[in-house]
Amino acid sequence: MKIGTLYGISVGTGDLELITVKGLRILQQVKIVAFPSGINNQQGIAEKIIQHWLHSEQTQLGLEFPYIQDEKLLQKAWNIASEKVWNYLKIGQDVAFACEGDISFYSTFNYLAQTINEHYPEVKIEMIPGVCSPLAAASALGIPLTIRQQKLVVLPALYTIDDLKTILEWAEVVVLMKVSSVYQQVWSILESLNLLESSFIVERATFPNQVIYHNLKNYSQLNLSYFSVLIIKVR
């Protein structure tokens, strides 16, 4: 029997229309649609985004991807998720995995795809690109992310705070992903380098409850959500 294809579908950052025509076509034509499960029995973000586009005949498959650092527990979760998806793939069913933002950009899908590829290399995996949060944030601000020869650096803030000063010495535009947990440290660094006035935060980009902060000089204390992007225009 033919093995099904695993599709990674980028569904954008919040606005349900930020999905490509190709992504929407595949999302609606497959019978099995998977996505990361939400926390505490709540709908996950990708799940919320795609509900408008799904039809009643499709099977919705929530997969658990815990927010932890323990590699053994993470690997166990990825293995369980891959087995659930494989149960459909092995009988010839295509599966579309919907992921917030872009499928290749700090995406949960990559862990699933890697695990599937390790255990079942015969599975065809296709990734459909889309809108990632730095691009959505720049659009929300109404500014170009980069122009001409500007050097851009994108960093996961939590893991790179110690390197930030060094990077700000040579980069011209810096994007910090998920900055909420280290915001106070970042703010202090930006203050010391006189970069607060050319720094911006977009919280929940393209969602109905999106919030934008211009000129961080007046925002030394912010209670930011997990989905907050900080853009620094260094020069």
Side-chain angles (χ1 to χ4, degrees):
M1 182 178 287
K2 173 183 174 292
I3 301 296
T5 297
L6 174 61
Y7 294 97
I9 309 292
S10 306
V11 300
T13 53
D15 183 337
L16 61 85
E17 294 183 317
L18 292 181
I19 183 172
T20 64
V21 174
K22 182 175 183 179
L24 181 58
R25 174 178 59 79
I26 295 172
L27 183 69
Q28 293 183 321
Q29 76 182 19
V30 301
K31 292 183 179 179
I32 314 299
V33 178
F35 41 77
S37 295
I39 300 173
N40 299 324
N41 296 317
Q42 300 295 311
Q43 277 190 323
I45 293 175
E47 183 182 1
K48 288 180 182 178
I49 293 172
I50 63 175
Q51 287 306 304
H52 179 81
W53 302 119
L54 301 183
H55 50 81
S56 59
E57 292 80 12
Q58 291 175 292
T59 297
Q60 298 187 37
L61 182 64
L63 302 174
E64 296 289 341
F65 294 95
Y67 293 94
I68 56 177
Q69 301 298 320
D70 188 307
E71 285 295 326
K72 288 184 178 180
L73 292 178
L74 285 172
Q75 190 62 61
K76 182 179 178 180
W78 301 336
N79 287 335
I80 292 172
S82 69
E83 285 300 314
K84 289 182 178 180
V85 172
W86 170 246
N87 286 335
Y88 293 99
L89 296 172
K90 68 182 180 182
I91 59 173
Q93 294 276 19
D94 294 336
V95 178
F97 183 91
C99 194
E100 184 196 12
D102 178 85
I103 211 74
S104 66
F105 190 75
Y106 297 113
S107 163
T108 305
F109 176 75
N110 295 308
Y111 306 117
L112 174 64
Q114 181 179 349
T115 308
I116 287 282
N117 188 57
E118 288 173 356
H119 295 312
Y120 311 106
E122 65 272 33
V123 174
K124 179 183 177 183
I125 299 174
E126 184 173 343
M127 299 170 66
I128 313 301
V131 178
C132 62
S133 53
L135 305 182
S139 294
L141 289 166
I143 62 173
L145 188 57
T146 57
I147 56 174
R148 301 183 71 180
Q149 76 277 15
Q150 285 184 321
K151 297 187 290 291
L152 169 68
V153 176
V154 180
L155 301 170
L158 177 62
Y159 305 103
T160 54
I161 189 69
D162 293 336
D163 302 320
L164 183 56
K165 273 192 173 182
T166 301
I167 291 166
L168 288 169
E169 290 176 0
W170 63 269
E172 290 159 305
V173 181
V174 174
V175 176
L176 295 181
M177 305 290 299
K178 298 168 184 172
V179 71
S180 58
S181 62
V182 291
Y183 177 71
Q184 187 58 61
Q185 294 166 267
V186 171
W187 191 92
S188 297
I189 291 171
L190 296 178
E191 182 187 38
S192 69
L193 297 174
N194 295 315
L195 290 173
L196 289 171
E197 293 185 14
S198 58
S199 298
F200 314 85
I201 287 178
V202 180
E203 189 176 9
R204 297 181 296 269
T206 77
F207 277 83
N209 58 344
Q210 168 185 284
V211 179
I212 294 176
Y213 298 95
H214 296 268
N215 183 354
L216 300 183
K217 197 169 184 179
N218 299 320
Y219 298 106
S220 59
Q221 303 287 334
L222 285 177
N223 184 23
L224 297 170
S225 69
Y226 180 73
F227 294 100
S228 297
V229 175
L230 193 155
I231 297 177
I232 307 162
K233 291 286 190 174
V234 184
R235 48 188 168 272

